[in-house]
Structures are given as structure tokens and as C-alpha cells.
Amino acid sequence: DDEEDDEADETRAPVHSFISAARAALEGQVSSLTSLEGDAALLRYLVARPTQASPAEMLIAWANYYLAKQKQPVLVSQLSDLESCDLYASLLSLLDPSFDASNFADIPLADKQDRIGTTLRESGSDFDFEALFKMDDTDGKHVGILLAMLVSVGIDSLDDIQNDIVCRRVAACTYINSVLGVNVSPMDLLAACMDSDILLRTFQNTFPNVIDQRLVDSWKGAGSMPSLDGVPCLLVLLSQAARSVGATLGNVPLNNPLTFARALHELVWGLVEACVLVHIDPKRPQLAALKATGESPAKFLSLPQSSLLIRWVNFQLRQRTNRAISNFTDDLEDCENLMYLLLQIAPAGGAGILPASFEQDLLKELAWDHRAASIMRAVEGNFGVKPLLMTASDPSGAENARLNAPLVALVLRVSLSLPHDAKQVAQIQRALEQSLEAESEQERVRDELLAWMKSLGIEVRNLGEDLRNGSVFVRLLDKVAPSGTIDQRKVKAAPGKLLFMWV
């Protein structure tokens, strides 16, 4: 137990440093927080330009990171937005589930301040919140309260930021630096994506024919990048292009200044993830061996990338063990399944790929983060794969599915280790050809229908959307049916409902 406590203290050292700096700042001039500058590295990942961000901007970004998790989020745009204490209540309810924010907006301001201070004191905080609320300096007051809330009940939020933001930012930066031969730091990655074309070049390296380079060149030739709703057009274009190739970007808007940094983070990671996973495609003949017995080719072709990756891992594991995984989180956290995966595709002692004692040494190691570091050294040193998940010196994020899946995909790319089943390949190829033929026929019929409706003077762009409420069908009948067939007086429409008509 003492050893575990010592290890826990070591892992929390940055947090202890952060708390010390925060306390020193609150004991001094709260509005400046100069002593916090060197210890708030994690918060800097929440802003787009960290080198220019003030402590107040970082704390607002931290508050908005959590407030955005609400179903109908109200975010902080400036410190004065916190004056009513309602946003403090929303933030506190997210950080401390025991805090009841119901009917909070209806009570007097003094009672709001007392409830917030009481809750934080009950959580073990020894900050003088009454004195903070009475400060005359409005900005200094709210910076101090946010900082005190962070230190009192928000320390675990730093772990969330580490896993959700920092680990993925480091992974994306590792990939971009490797592909482009540049040297951008994770902290500066968002700013670099705003100020240069590194994100465009990363995308085009994998998807060269999606974006029309002539459009980009025309923007460059104009001398300055145009913007749309305050967002550089290149980022808007990349967002659309990334979605077109199946990237997962979330629903955070780029054109909201309060969510821009988070939206850009999601764009960068989603784009990198799409680049890494692009070859995990059931249409690839090499993956035909993963088709399940009795599974229809059409169903196999519709498998998502994550399911296909899990099948590949399980195929390898079952050649050597009776193990199987169903996810990229809990089933990989102790690293044993990753170890057996590597041993299967590159046997220990075989051709000098892995050390003969690789399995024995890893199983003797009880610390999972040390096991993860060993896996990463093997992946990078023996397979030539730059691990995006973590490094030997920073094995954090081992339970992050959005990082583990790309790691496995990179290993698959360099060592497929699947049998070539000619019969399975032929089945998949036939199903793919039939699917493409059906899709082509559907497109032909759609184009003919659109052209026919246009010839009648009815402009329709999307059959699914434009014909949804029935109004286009009424107009079509009015054009082609005998005069008087449609009694327009009996045609009724209600927003959001189907159009009903009496003929």
C-alpha cells in the first residue's frame, strides 16, 4: 500500500505543483496570477494561441470546457458574465454532483454566494470565499473564484483534460511531424494550423484528390486568407473535406469564438484519425479473411472501421491464445492483449524482431504504465511505427479508445499477417461490384427524375430532403394530372408535419 501511495504521489506531482502555484497566486495579487504562469500547462491546451493567453483566458477556457457538456450550454464570454453566480452554480454542479443547482437563479445573490462557498468548504477547501466575493476588483474576484474552484473541486478535471485533449494533441502532432518532416510542438499545434497549411498538407498526403488545389492557390494568390464567419476559409474547407471522407469531428462549431479552440482540436484529431484509419477498409481484398463464416458480403462491406480492427486483433489472438477483445479501452489497459498481438505477428526471437524474453519481462512488470512503455518501445523500435498513443517517457492515455485504435491500425498497416483466401476475396469483390452497379443505377434514376421535374419548372436538389413534406408531389400532380384534379383549397400544410391533401 505504501508503494502504491508513493507511486500515486509521483503521478500527482504536477498537480501538487499546480496547487502550490495557485495558493501563492491567491495569497498575492489575484488579478495577475504571475506565479501560475509556469504551472498551468494543461490549461494552455484549451486555448488556440497558448503563448498569448492570459491566466484569466485559460481559466475561462477551463470553465467553458465543462459548461459545454450541458445539453443547452451557456458559456462564459467574459468574467463579468459570472457576476450573477448562475454560471458558477452550473459549473459546480458538473464538478460536484452533490451540489443542487435547481432554483438557484431565483434566490438572492448573497444566498447564492453563501451556497457556493458552503459547498466548496464542505469539499475540504480552506479558501476564504466570502472575502473573494467581496473583492472590489471584478476581474480579479472572478479569476480568484475560478482558480479556487479549480483547486478545490476541479483537480480531477485536469485528468480529463490530459486524456481528452493533451493525449490526442500529442498524438496528432506526432503524426503530422512524422508525415511532413516538421517540428511543431503539441502546445503550438493549433496556432500552427491557423497560421500555415500543415493541416492541408497532412490531409492531402493521404487524400490527394479530395480538395481542389486551384481553389487553395487562388486564396494564397490573393495575399491573405479569406474568412467565413470569422473562420479562415481553409479551415472551413478542411472541415467539409474531412467529413466527406468519414472523419469524426463532433458538433462543436468553428464559428463560435468561445468554442473555436475545441472545434479546431476536434478537426485536427479527426483529420489525423481519418488518415491513420484510411486503410482499414473492408473493400480491401487483403482483409477478406476477416469475413465471418456465413456472413453476407454486403454486411461485411458495411462494417465500421472499429469493428474490423477488433476482428483483426481477435484473429491474431486466437492463433496464439484463447483471448479476445471487444473494445479498445478496458480490454487493452493491462497491455497483455497488445503483447500477445505483437508476439503473434512478430514471434519473440524470430528474425530479431522481439527479444526472446519479451513476454516474460512484460508479465513480470506489475505497473501498467511501465508495461505500456515497453509496448511502445517494441512498436517503435521493432516495427518502425511511430506510436501516436504514448512514448516510453509518457505512457499516459493507455485507456483512451480514440488513441488505441489508431495505434493498432498502424501496426496492422506494417504487419497484416492474414491468410489470402481466394474464395473470400472473390465473394467480397463480387459483392462490391454489385453494390457499385446498384449505386450507379440509383444515381442514373435520380438524375433522370431531377431532370424531368426541372423540365416541368420544379427545381429539386435533393430527393430525400425536398420531397419530405409532400408539397413537391402536389405541385407535380398539378402539372401532370388533368385540370382540376387538385383542389388547392383542400391542401393543408403544417410546419413539421406531413402535408395532407384531398384530391
Side-chain angles (χ1 to χ4, degrees), residues 336-391:
E336 290 185 14
N337 284 323
L338 284 173
M339 175 194 71
Y340 288 120
L341 170 65
L342 298 184
L343 286 170
Q344 174 57 29
I345 61 181
I353 295 297
L354 289 173
S357 61
F358 181 69
E359 178 178 358
Q360 181 181 359
D361 292 343
L362 190 134
L363 293 178
K364 281 169 40 180
E365 179 58 68
L366 299 181
W368 288 358
D369 58 340
H370 293 170
R371 287 184 175 187
S374 297
I375 293 292
M376 292 307 102
R377 283 194 294 268
V379 168
E380 184 169 10
N382 301 99
F383 289 83
V385 171
K386 190 72 173 176
L388 305 185
L389 166 64
M390 47 192 150
T391 65

Side-chain angles (χ1 to χ4, degrees), residues 42 95 120 170 172-173 188 206 249 266 272 288 293 303 322 328 344 349 375 435 444 455 460 487 498:
L42 290 180
L95 296 171
L120 292 171
V170 171
C173 195
D188 298 325
T206 302
L249 304 185
E266 294 295 338
V272 167
T293 303
L303 284 176
N322 60 356
F328 288 109
Q344 174 57 29
I375 293 292
S435 174
R444 184 188 65 77
S455 70
V460 174
D487 186 348
L498 289 176

Side-chain angles (χ1 to χ4, degrees), residues 35 42 60 98 109 129 134 166 181 184 197 199 206 243 264 296 334 351 364 381 385 416 430 500:
S35 61
L42 290 180
I60 288 175
S98 67
L109 180 60
F129 286 96
K134 289 181 178 179
V166 179
V184 179
D197 64 350
L199 202 55
T206 302
R243 290 183 189 278
L264 183 54
S296 72
D334 65 1
K364 281 169 40 180
V385 171
L416 186 61
R430 280 197 302 272
F500 298 93

Side-chain angles (χ1 to χ4, degrees), residues 290 306-328 331-332 337 340-341 344 408 412 417-418:
L290 299 178
S306 59
S307 298
L308 204 58
L309 267 178
I310 286 174
R311 284 195 185 189
W312 178 74
V313 173
N314 288 339
F315 180 93
Q316 306 301 340
L317 291 178
R318 286 166 182 155
Q319 308 304 307
R320 188 180 189 91
T321 71
N322 60 356
R323 291 168 169 257
I325 70 169
S326 61
N327 57 65
F328 288 109
D331 289 349
L332 296 183
N337 284 323
Y340 288 120
L341 170 65
Q344 174 57 29
V408 174
L412 180 154
S417 299
L418 286 176

Side-chain angles (χ1 to χ4, degrees), residues 115-180:
R115 280 184 60 182
I116 291 171
T118 299
T119 300
L120 292 171
R121 281 192 296 273
E122 289 175 350
S123 71
S125 172
D126 57 358
F127 287 109
D128 188 350
F129 286 96
E130 183 177 354
L132 285 172
F133 278 119
K134 289 181 178 179
M135 285 182 61
D136 294 329
D137 178 2
T138 301
D139 285 357
K141 169 175 65 178
H142 293 301
V143 166
I145 294 170
L146 281 175
L147 183 59
M149 288 181 69
L150 171 58
V151 173
S152 301
V153 295
I155 287 301
D156 287 344
S157 72
L158 298 180
D159 291 336
D160 294 338
I161 294 169
Q162 172 72 30
N163 293 328
D164 184 31
I165 302 293
V166 179
C167 284
R168 287 196 283 162
R169 188 78 54 79
V170 171
C173 195
T174 301
Y175 180 82
I176 290 173
N177 286 340
S178 176
V179 168
L180 301 184

Side-chain angles (χ1 to χ4, degrees), residues 193-194 219 225-228 230-237 254 260:
C193 291
M194 294 164 60
W219 290 339
M225 177 61 64
S227 61
L228 180 66
V231 182
C233 283
L234 182 57
L235 294 181
V236 177
L237 180 64
L254 274 168
F260 174 77

Side-chain angles (χ1 to χ4, degrees), residues 6 77 96 129 135 204 217 221-222 247 273 299 303 354 381 413 464:
D6 291 341
S77 60
D96 183 355
F129 286 96
M135 285 182 61
Q204 290 180 321
D217 291 341
E273 186 180 42
K299 184 177 180 181
L303 284 176
L354 289 173
R413 184 161 62 183

Side-chain angles (χ1 to χ4, degrees), residues 45-48 57 60-70 72-77 165 169 190 194 229-231 235 249-268:
Y45 280 90
L46 298 176
V47 294
E57 290 171 327
I60 288 175
W62 168 75
N64 285 339
Y65 172 77
Y66 272 90
L67 290 171
K69 297 177 183 293
Q70 301 176 105
Q72 296 180 324
V74 177
L75 304 183
V76 182
S77 60
I165 302 293
R169 188 78 54 79
L190 295 191
M194 294 164 60
D229 294 334
V231 182
L235 294 181
L249 304 185
N251 298 313
V252 185
L254 274 168
N255 60 356
N256 184 345
L258 301 181
T259 59
F260 174 77
R262 181 58 190 262
L264 183 54
H265 166 79
E266 294 295 338
L267 172 59
V268 171

